[in-house]
Amino acid sequence: MSSPATALPPDQLLDRLLELLERLYRDTADYRARRDEAQCWYDRGYADGMRAALGALGHGAALAARPLPEVEPLAPTERVTPWGRAHAHGVEVGGRETRDVLGGA
């Protein structure tokens, strides 16, 4: 039995992922001001991980066609904080799950 995501044609699947990416960026636009909300930082990291995976899988043109913010690297002092670790975990999971959904290595 196939999952609903794999049943979609590839172009529709990519569109859905890009819509999710845009929503995550929109919902986390003020993440740097929300240090007490690790979930927000995780979600921003998830979006950054999705974006990196999509680019690595050859979808750079589709990314460039979307109004996405610049990826903001974390400062070394942020990386060791709870919110910085939440962001890093989000990057890892977002990238892995995007590759899994699209069937990329």
Side-chain angles (χ1 to χ4, degrees):
M1 175 189 249
S2 65
S3 70
T6 58
L8 290 174
D11 59 331
Q12 287 182 15
L13 181 57
L14 180 60
D15 284 343
R16 288 220 179 152
L17 288 172
L18 290 168
E19 289 168 7
L20 172 60
L21 182 63
E22 286 180 313
R23 189 180 88 230
L24 285 169
Y25 276 127
R26 185 174 51 252
D27 291 351
T28 62
D30 63 344
Y31 76 105
R32 288 202 183 266
R34 297 165 61 182
R35 291 186 174 153
D36 59 335
E37 296 181 44
Q39 184 65 49
C40 181
W41 282 72
Y42 173 87
D43 291 348
R44 184 58 168 232
Y46 194 97
D48 290 345
M50 284 181 67
R51 185 180 195 159
L54 287 166
L57 292 170
H59 300 290
L63 289 169
R66 299 284 176 144
L68 301 174
E70 293 294 320
V71 173
E72 302 174 29
L74 299 186
T77 55
E78 288 177 310
R79 291 185 201 137
V80 298
T81 64
W83 55 89
R85 290 190 306 270
H87 180 274
H89 184 60
V91 169
E92 177 186 329
V93 175
R96 181 180 64 239
E97 290 183 352
T98 298
R99 288 187 298 277
D100 288 349
V101 166
L102 292 176

